[in-house]
Every structure is written in structure tokens, then in C-alpha cells.
Amino acid sequence: METKVRSTDKAEDTGVVRRCDVMILGSGLAGSITAMCLAKQGVKVALVDAGQHPRFAVGESMTPQLIEWLQILRARFDVPELEYLFDIKATSKHIGPHHGKKQSFGFIRQVPGQEPDPREATMFVIPKLLTEASHLFRQETDQYYFHVAAKYGCITRQNWRAVDLDFDDDGVTITGHNGEVFRAKYLIDASGFRSPLAEKFGLREQPARFKHHSRSLFTHYVGIKPFDDVCHHPRSLRPPAPWHGGTLHHMIDRGWFWIIPFDNFKDSTNPVCSVGLTFDPRKYPKPTDMTPEEEFHHYLDMYPSAKRQFVGARRVREWVSTDRLQYSSSRSVGYRWCLMSHAAGFIDPLFSRGLSNTFEIVYALVSRLLPALRDDDFSVERFEYVDTLERGLLQYNDDLVNSSFIAFNHFRLWNAVFRVWAAFLTPGVMRLTRARLNYALDGDERHFAELENNAYPGLWWPESAEFKNILEITAETCEKYEVGELDGDAAADIIFGMLNNCDLVNPVFGWKDPEDTRFVLPTTQMMAKFMYWANRKAPQEMQELGRALLTGVFKAGIRGRKVL
Ligand SMILES: Cc1cc2nc3c(=O)[nH]c(=O)nc-3n(C[C@H](O)[C@H](O)[C@H](O)COP(=O)(O)OP(=O)(O)OC[C@H]3O[C@@H](n4cnc5c(N)ncnc54)[C@H](O)[C@@H]3O)c2cc1C
């Protein structure tokens, strides 16, 4: 709807103003999916992007937790197109045959000039029962969801850069570089690092408040060879699932290379592979006398087995070479505005938590924004939880990633940190599945609201004080190793000891068996044993999760619903 502005409106001078309820800057997955959720609920949304689809984006590797959040958004806001992201088959069928599969997180320790020791490797294979996740070819997914947002009635603009944001008591006036003016009740900035809102309100903390330091070099290649084909490890010491079946991390001292193939799913016609190097600029300062390509190969050349993956490979787009990746903001919500996750702050791509964190924020924001729009009340207190959650997500991720970077040069210590991350993923996902199944049964939003009723927002199992304690002691222990107060084995022993003594760590997957179970592959039989343990033997808080989940699966199954 186009309207002449009222004389009281600050945009009066510009003539025609387009009115909407919510304006979203940035049409990456965060912006477009938020726009879809709002529009499907009757909100008038304008979705603008400074660039144009299709466009390159990172954020390619998915996690089970991300898929659960997408399932929750799909169920709660009734946006069926999100189902196409639930598994690689659906993504390939409905969005296009250009995505890879994300069967596993594989980590192999690399030492300069040496072949990697096959015993210095870990892998977590995502249980098939949970999901068959994807490596998203973002230029395609992002374009698709931008179009779906338009289909739901959003006003869309590409190559549209906001040059002025003007807030007053009644709303916000947004002026584009072409003079076009929008008037909205609420502004969501999903534009990422260069957020105009963060700039306008001077929200960026200088320096970022995090411990962790990394910078990154990344691009896309064709012709990358599967690591399985170029490593010299005997079959008996290889993981039970191929390295090339998921996201491969070559861990180096205070850094890691990523290999994210899009050609590893049977229906994929895409020969492209995403590659990158993320490393600590305090150890590896950005050079002034090398191109990003030269710099990348300078480091790649040090690791012969990783280098073999690149023999005959060709780069298909320009390198991106960043400065320090970490940034933070003093606040992520204010009166009539929100800095969406990636605009508010960032830690590191390690563990692929970016999109999952983003969609946890999308849920928290949209579930508050809908009643705020109904009540015409945008008081900041209503949105305070979004800010608290954002802080928690970043803080716990900082602990985990900083510990990992410290541990990369000592395999036993890495093996311990790996377990702290992975052993608590399962309950972190189960609590989301439980809420979703209960919602499917009775349609009561309370099940999702209860997810927010926890002591430690942002922790991946936010109800568990014991897990929080383990994560914090892990961070402290790694930092002691970093400054030489502990040697690596002593630090690893402390963390292994905590995991062994923790009854919440399930005994079925091998988390308590670091020497013999470096590759964790939960088979369907193991999942059944795990459910038995979680329902019968585990401590109270795990039993509550296990029982509620099993009941939900059972009831949904009786009603013929697809549950997992
Ligand atoms: C190196 C790296 C690797 C990563 N890998 C992963 C991963 O494997 N898995 C994962 O989950 N997360 C990963 N992340 C995090 C991930 O990138 C984000 O979580 C995710 O891409 C965020 O999506 P988004 O829609 O918020 O932002 P983006 O995809 O960055 O989209 C932002 C959009 O805003 C537009 N824009 C910019 N400025 C303006 C403006 N002024 N006005 C209007 N529009 C504007 C841009 O054109 C762009 O289209 C990674 C991050 C980095 C830095």
C-alpha cells in the first residue's frame, strides 16, 4: 500500500512513503526466513538487500540443532517451505541438486611437514535417525527463500541500500540510496557485520569482548579430492564414515582448514567445494606482501596430506580475506529495533553454530514481535530475552571455540574438548524435539515458551548447571594449559575426569572412552540403547527429557504423524 505521509511524519518532504509493519535489512537466510514467518502471520513486511540474488554467502554447514529450530519455526509460524531444509533429499528435490550432505564433523590433527597420525583424529557422525543434514549452497537457498518471502506478500527490493534510519516514538523511517522511503513500526537489521543499525547507534564494542581471536581466508574450488582418496592411513585406522561425507576440519596449531563439499551427495550435480582457513592473527599476522591465494597456499604447503586434496583443483571465485572475525555489540535490541544474530556479533565458524544460533534468535524475536505488533507496544522489556539469549549464545561459544583453538596442538586435550562439545549436543537437540512433538499434539505455544524458561540462555543444554560447570572448567583448564600452568596431558585428564564422573554423559556412544572411541557413530541400535538409558537409568533431568521425548514420539506415531 502506498500512502501519503501524515504531516506529522518526519518523512513528509520525500513525498510517497511505503508503509509496512516491519522492515528487514538483509535477505540472507536470516532476513528472508524471518520475513516469511512474519508475513505468514499477517504482518506487512518489507525485505531489502544491498546486493542481489543469487550471491555468494558463507554459512554452509548445518547441524541437528539448526534443523530442530527450523522445524520449530515451520510448526509455529506455519511456513511449510522450511521443510526443504530438513534433510538433503528434500533440499535437493525442492531447491535444486547443488547441495552436499553433512553426515559428519571430522577432525584430523595436522603437523607441519608430516603425514597426520591416524590416531590423532576424531569424528562425530550425525545419527541418521535424527537427520541427514546438508552443506547448503547458499547462493541457491538464499535466492529461493527470498522468493518465498515475496510469495508470502513481502515487499522486496534488491540493490537497495539503506542510507538513513530515523527513529521516533511512533516508528522508524528508512531511506534508501535511491530516495525511496519506507515507514515501519519495527526494524530488524539482518545485514551482518556491516550493520547500518550498529553503526547508527554506535553499538560495536571496540575491541570485541571475546577471548577468541581468528581471521579467515575462504573461497570455492572445483576438483578438490576427497581426503579418503589421498590420505595414507590403513583401512583399520580410518573412521567408519568417509571423511568426504561431511565437514572436514584439518586442525593446525591455533587454526583449522575447512573442506565443505557440495559434490558428495548422489543427486548433486555441483562440483564445487567450499574451502577456508581460519587462524589466530596473533600467531599468523595478516601479511602485506602476499595475495590471499599466496597466503593460503603458503600454509597449505606445510601440510602434505591436505595439500594433496588440492592437486589439480581450480578456484572458481575470488578469495575473501577477513580481519579479526570476532565482533560484538553492547546491545542487540532497543526501542523498535533488533540486531539479528549475525549483525549483533560473531565468534568463529568452528562447530557450525552460526545458523542454529541465528534461528534460535529468530524464534525468540518473532514470537515477541507478533504480540508487540498486536498490542502496538514495542517497549524494550518485551524483547529483553532476545538480548540475553544473544549474549549467552556468543559467550558460551567463545568458551568452546577458544578452548578448541588452544587444544588443537595437543591431541589428548583436543579429544577432551571435542567430547565436551559433542556429548551434550544430544540433550540439547532432545529438548527441542520434545517441545516440537508436544506442540504437534496439542498446538499449545507454552511448549516453546518453556524452552526459554531456563537458567543459562544460550548454552546448548541451557537447563543443566552441571554441563555449564563442565564447560566453564574446560575453558579454565585450557587457558591454564595455554599459559603453561598445566601440561596438555594434565589438562586433558581434568576434563576426561569430569566427563567420566558426570552421570549425565550417556555411556552408550563412547564419550567416556576417549582412547578407543575417537570416532562416534550412533547406529540405530545404539540410539535404542541410548533411549533405554535415558528413560530408565539416567539422572532425573535426563530421564525427564528421555521420557517426554519417548511419549511424544509414541503419541505422534499413533496419530500417524512424521516425528523425526
Ligand atoms: C567465514 C565464516 C564461515 C561460516 N560458516 C558457517 C557455517 O558453516 N555454518 C553456520 O551455521 N554458520 C556459519 N557462519 C555464520 C554464518 O555466516 C551466518 O550464521 C549466516 O550466514 C548468517 O546469515 P544471515 O542471513 O544472517 O547473513 P548473510 O548471509 O551474511 O546475509 C546478509 C545480507 O545482508 C545484505 N546486506 C549487507 N549490508 C546491507 C545493508 N546495508 N542494507 C541491506 N542489506 C544489506 C547482504 O547483501 C546479505 O545478502 C560462518 C561465518 C563466517 C564469517
Side-chain angles (χ1 to χ4, degrees):
M1 176 179 70
E2 289 181 14
T3 50
K4 280 273 184 196
V5 287
R6 286 173 286 123
S7 56
T8 51
D9 202 304
K10 293 189 175 181
E12 187 180 22
D13 291 342
T14 56
V16 174
V17 169
R18 286 173 209 279
R19 289 182 176 277
C20 58
D21 296 316
V22 177
M23 175 96 178
I24 303 179
L25 305 180
S27 64
L29 284 182
S32 293
I33 291 177
T34 305
M36 286 161 55
C37 294
L38 288 167
K40 190 65 191 288
Q41 298 298 311
V43 176
K44 184 162 185 186
V45 181
L47 174 66
V48 300
D49 201 290
Q52 178 183 327
H53 291 283
R55 57 93 177 94
F56 171 77
V58 276
E60 296 151 328
S61 167
M62 298 183 90
T63 63
Q65 213 167 356
L66 162 61
I67 290 173
E68 267 306 331
W69 279 112
L70 292 169
Q71 295 235 31
I72 287 172
L73 293 174
R74 185 258 175 268
R76 170 63 187 84
F77 303 118
D78 191 21
V79 276
E81 290 82 357
L82 287 188
E83 283 173 18
Y84 307 158
L85 291 176
F86 291 177
D87 68 71
I88 176 65
K89 290 193 199 90
T91 309
S92 301
K93 181 171 171 202
H94 296 283
I95 301 182
H98 301 123
H99 309 271
K101 68 176 174 186
K102 164 74 182 255
Q103 190 184 6
S104 62
F105 291 84
F107 302 88
I108 184 132
R109 183 165 169 255
Q110 294 281 0
V111 177
Q114 294 181 17
E115 286 296 317
D117 181 340
R119 291 168 203 84
E120 297 200 332
T122 59
M123 182 183 276
F124 177 54
V125 184
I126 300 170
K128 266 199 171 172
L129 200 64
L130 282 186
T131 179
E132 289 184 271
S134 313
H135 290 153
L136 299 175
F137 193 51
R138 287 283 303 270
Q139 52 225 68
E140 199 168 83
T141 51
D142 291 26
Q143 172 164 273
Y144 174 77
Y145 285 104
F146 178 69
H147 291 162
V148 176
K151 188 186 87 178
Y152 279 142
C154 298
I155 306 167
T156 52
R157 295 283 184 277
Q158 302 190 59
N159 298 312
W160 198 99
R161 182 172 291 281
V163 291
D164 190 41
L165 312 174
D166 189 5
F167 286 82
D168 56 60
D169 287 348
D170 301 326
V172 47
T173 303
I174 305 103
T175 308
H177 68 290
N178 58 0
E180 190 181 22
V181 179
F182 283 86
R183 176 79 181 159
K185 294 177 185 162
Y186 196 90
L187 179 73
I188 298 173
D189 187 336
S191 68
F193 171 60
R194 290 195 178 77
S195 149
L197 198 54
E199 192 184 324
K200 176 175 177 74
F201 291 132
L203 299 170
R204 287 283 186 260
E205 294 169 321
Q206 297 292 352
R209 62 175 180 264
F210 308 120
K211 298 180 273 196
H212 179 56
H213 283 249
S214 63
R215 67 183 176 97
S216 196
L217 289 166
F218 52 89
T219 188
H220 280 173
Y221 266 77
V222 291
I224 296 287
K225 295 183 169 49
F227 189 63
D228 314 83
D229 295 352
V230 300
C231 79
H232 297 151
H233 297 162
R235 203 143 291 281
S236 60
L237 293 176
R238 291 184 180 216
W243 292 109
H244 203 63
T247 304
L248 172 59
H249 308 67
H250 291 290
M251 302 179 289
I252 64 172
D253 188 11
R254 297 207 73 92
W256 59 288
F257 290 88
W258 79 69
I259 304 284
I260 301 182
F262 301 111
D263 66 351
N264 66 353
F265 179 60
K266 61 179 177 42
D267 295 338
S268 174
T269 58
N270 187 355
V272 169
C273 181
S274 173
V275 305
L277 170 59
T278 302
F279 48 171
D280 188 334
R282 296 167 301 182
K283 181 172 172 69
Y284 308 97
K286 199 168 180 176
T288 50
D289 57 349
M290 274 193 235
T291 63
E293 171 117 331
E294 286 166 348
E295 193 191 8
F296 183 82
H297 284 281
H298 170 74
Y299 291 112
L300 185 68
D301 287 352
M302 294 180 183
Y303 305 99
S305 67
K307 190 178 173 191
R308 287 196 294 275
Q309 290 196 263
F310 285 75
V311 172
R314 283 172 181 270
R315 182 167 57 79
V316 293
R317 51 164 291 113
E318 292 311 301
W319 285 97
V320 179
S321 170
T322 73
D323 293 315
R324 187 181 175 202
L325 280 176
Q326 295 68 47
Y327 54 94
S328 59
S329 305
S330 51
R331 284 197 65 70
S332 62
V333 294
Y335 185 60
R336 293 185 183 271
W337 58 262
C338 174
L339 282 185
M340 185 58 84
S341 187
H342 204 221
F346 187 65
I347 301 287
D348 195 279
L350 189 65
F351 302 117
S352 313
R353 298 193 59 213
L355 285 168
S356 160
N357 292 352
T358 296
F359 289 109
E360 186 163 357
I361 291 287
V362 170
Y363 181 81
L365 176 66
V366 174
S367 60
R368 283 166 176 77
L369 193 47
L370 291 173
L373 285 161
R374 264 195 307 273
D375 303 346
D376 197 26
D377 173 2
F378 301 91
S379 47
V380 182
E381 305 80 67
R382 295 181 82 134
F383 296 90
E384 207 56 59
Y385 176 79
V386 179
D387 189 69
T388 309
L389 176 64
E390 184 63 61
R391 281 188 171 269
L393 288 166
L394 290 167
Q395 179 202 316
Y396 296 119
N397 210 18
D398 190 28
D399 279 339
L400 175 71
V401 174
N402 194 48
S403 302
S404 304
F405 266 59
I406 295 169
F408 281 162
N409 69 6
H410 189 285
F411 180 71
R412 282 191 76 234
L413 186 54
W414 158 253
N415 195 8
V417 176
F418 165 75
R419 279 153 207 280
V420 171
W421 161 67
F424 293 93
L425 283 181
T426 315
V429 172
M430 280 166 79
R431 59 188 288 279
L432 302 179
T433 314
R434 173 183 61 176
R436 173 171 60 81
L437 291 177
N438 286 337
Y439 178 80
L441 290 171
D442 61 17
D444 190 339
E445 283 173 42
R446 176 178 53 88
H447 302 301
F448 297 135
E450 277 169 5
L451 287 174
E452 297 182 354
N453 184 16
N454 61 64
Y456 314 110
L459 190 63
W460 50 111
W461 186 8
E463 291 87 7
S464 175
E466 196 167 349
F467 170 44
K468 175 174 177 278
N469 191 39
I470 289 177
L471 179 61
E472 286 176 351
I473 295 180
T474 297
E476 274 169 40
T477 306
C478 288
E479 285 160 33
K480 284 186 183 159
Y481 165 68
E482 184 180 30
V483 296
E485 276 178 38
L486 281 173
D487 71 35
D489 283 326
D493 287 340
I494 292 172
I495 301 169
F496 287 142
M498 284 193 298
L499 291 171
N500 268 335
N501 292 332
C502 178
D503 292 340
L504 292 169
V505 173
N506 90 66
V508 183
F509 293 179
W511 299 125
K512 296 188 178 191
D513 180 19
E515 305 303 330
D516 292 333
T517 315
R518 289 177 293 101
F519 304 132
V520 176
L521 189 158
T523 57
T524 304
Q525 199 187 14
M526 281 161 82
M527 289 297 283
K529 276 191 187 164
F530 165 72
M531 285 308 283
Y532 175 78
W533 170 81
N535 276 274
R536 294 287 176 85
K537 307 266 183 200
Q540 187 64 18
E541 55 188 307
M542 183 58 105
Q543 279 202 22
E544 277 167 19
L545 267 185
R547 286 206 182 121
L549 182 62
L550 206 62
T551 312
V553 170
F554 185 66
K555 284 189 187 159
I558 287 180
R559 294 178 190 194
R561 293 206 170 106
K562 194 170 174 263
V563 287
L564 294 173

